[in-house]
Amino acid sequence: MTTMGAGMDGQVGRRRGALLAATTLAAALALTGCGAGDSGARDNADSAAEAPAANGGEAGRDAAAGAPEGAGAGAPDLRVDQRAIIYTGTMRVQVDDVDSAAREAAAVATRAGGFVGGDERRSADDDDAVAELELRVPAAKFTDVVEEMAKLGRQQSREINTQDVTEETVDLDARITSQRARVESARRLLARATSITDLVSLENELGRREADLASLEAKKRRLADLTALSTITVSLAGPAAKATDEEAETGFLVGLRGGWKAFVVSMTVLLTVLGALLPWLVALGVPLAVLLVVLRRRRKSPALVTPVSAPPPVPAARSAP
């Protein structure tokens, strides 16, 4: 009995020890799982917090573009450097040597990453020569190139214009996406066409949709070209060249002077036309006049030689009965 009781006590002790070990292991595993869960949650939160920064603010801009006005005071707006803006400039600079200044202007545009889009020269003499250059330069270098042009000589005038085409660009992108989907839909329908009538109709519809898509894409390329490369029209004038921007004069004397100039010009044109026609009038008019005189004489000559007709006979008087 004593031996059996001792064996039972030993089994109970071993069971308690196993139960205690299992409880301790379970507690340790639970603590480890909680720590890992907290660490994972922190990692996920950190990743979610860092995602907008990694996206470069694009998500914020998209949200601002799609959100209605007054949705939130802290909603970010589209940045200026992300907008599609067309820059155009016109300026006139008086220089000592027009040809040398034109070469320098072309070199400035080339160094800025652009090119010369047009070159027109008007020169009767070196002092009153005028060169008009159309420069296409990157939009980022627009201001720098304008300042370089002003340093070529004495600036007489400058006009800078900007046109914001951001909304038009976004609208074109949306229309191009929609039109591409329509083209793909027409192509799928054309592939499933079974009759000649459907085939011809779908081919015509597909052609119209592709033409509309090509037109939209051409407009998008044009806008992209205008926003990527700005246009600067530079007029380089010699020292004696007259300014083109003169104030308009009004008054009676101005009108009288303008009317006299118009009269002189009209008389000059009339005399010029008369001088051009005079040889033809002489060459054709003299023979025509001679011919008319001869014809008139021929018409009058038969009337002069007409024979005199005899008087009608007088009836004889009858005798009285």
Side-chain angles (χ1 to χ4, degrees):
M1 294 293 293
T2 304
T3 304
M4 184 178 297
M8 292 180 64
D9 292 339
Q11 290 180 359
V12 172
R14 286 195 297 272
R15 289 178 180 178
R16 290 179 178 178
L19 181 61
L20 181 60
T23 304
T24 305
L25 180 60
L29 291 175
L31 292 175
T32 304
C34 292
D38 294 340
S39 177
R42 285 193 300 269
D43 292 340
N44 293 334
D46 294 339
S47 299
E50 293 174 0
N55 290 334
E58 294 179 0
R61 289 195 298 271
D62 294 338
E69 290 183 346
D77 194 7
L78 191 63
R79 295 184 302 177
V80 175
D81 57 351
Q82 298 295 327
R83 303 190 71 85
I85 300 177
I86 300 175
Y87 296 92
T88 56
T90 304
M91 56 191 310
R92 181 182 175 91
V93 182
Q94 188 177 38
V95 297
D96 296 332
D97 189 347
V98 174
D99 292 335
S100 177
R103 288 192 296 269
E104 180 62 24
V108 170
T110 304
R111 287 195 300 268
F115 59 91
V116 179
D119 188 345
E120 181 180 356
R121 306 291 178 95
R122 298 187 302 272
S123 60
D125 192 3
D126 293 338
D127 291 338
D128 59 357
V130 177
E132 186 170 330
L133 304 179
E134 181 179 322
L135 308 179
R136 302 296 307 280
V137 298
K141 301 294 184 65
F142 177 80
T143 304
D144 296 338
V145 173
V146 169
E147 295 299 331
E148 290 290 334
M149 294 298 106
K151 295 178 182 178
L152 295 177
R154 187 171 65 87
Q155 180 177 276
Q156 294 180 335
S157 63
R158 177 192 295 191
E159 182 179 357
I160 305 298
N161 296 316
T162 60
Q163 181 182 1
D164 192 345
V165 293
T166 305
E167 295 182 0
E168 186 174 356
T169 303
V170 173
D171 179 65
L172 274 176
D173 289 337
R175 292 173 63 187
I176 288 173
T177 302
S178 175
Q179 193 64 24
R180 284 175 179 169
R182 296 185 63 196
V183 169
E184 293 299 327
S185 176
R187 288 175 179 172
R188 288 193 297 269
L189 292 175
L190 181 63
R192 294 196 298 266
T194 57
S195 64
I196 299 298
T197 303
D198 294 342
L199 183 63
V200 173
S201 176
L202 289 173
E203 283 181 348
N204 294 334
E205 181 63 23
L206 178 60
R208 285 193 295 269
R209 293 185 181 185
E210 288 178 343
D212 293 341
L213 178 60
S215 176
L216 292 175
E217 289 177 344
K219 291 180 180 179
K220 178 64 181 300
R221 288 192 298 269
R222 177 60 177 168
L223 280 180
D225 176 70
L226 292 176
T227 54
L229 293 176
S230 303
T231 304
I232 305 174
T233 303
V234 185
S235 296
L236 303 173
K242 296 181 179 179
T244 56
D245 300 333
E246 296 180 354
E247 296 182 358
E249 297 180 355
T250 58
F252 174 76
L253 296 179
V254 175
L256 181 61
R257 184 165 58 250
W260 175 253
K261 289 182 179 180
F263 175 75
V264 171
V265 171
S266 301
M267 291 302 298
T268 303
V269 173
L270 180 61
L271 293 176
T272 302
V273 174
L274 182 60
L277 295 178
L278 185 60
W280 297 93
L281 295 176
V282 173
L284 299 177
V286 173
L288 183 60
V290 172
L291 181 60
L292 292 176
V293 171
V294 171
L295 292 177
R296 287 182 180 179
R297 288 182 178 180
R298 287 183 179 181
R299 290 178 182 177
K300 291 180 179 179
S301 56
L304 296 177
V305 295
T306 302
V308 179
S309 60
V314 178
R318 292 186 298 175
S319 59

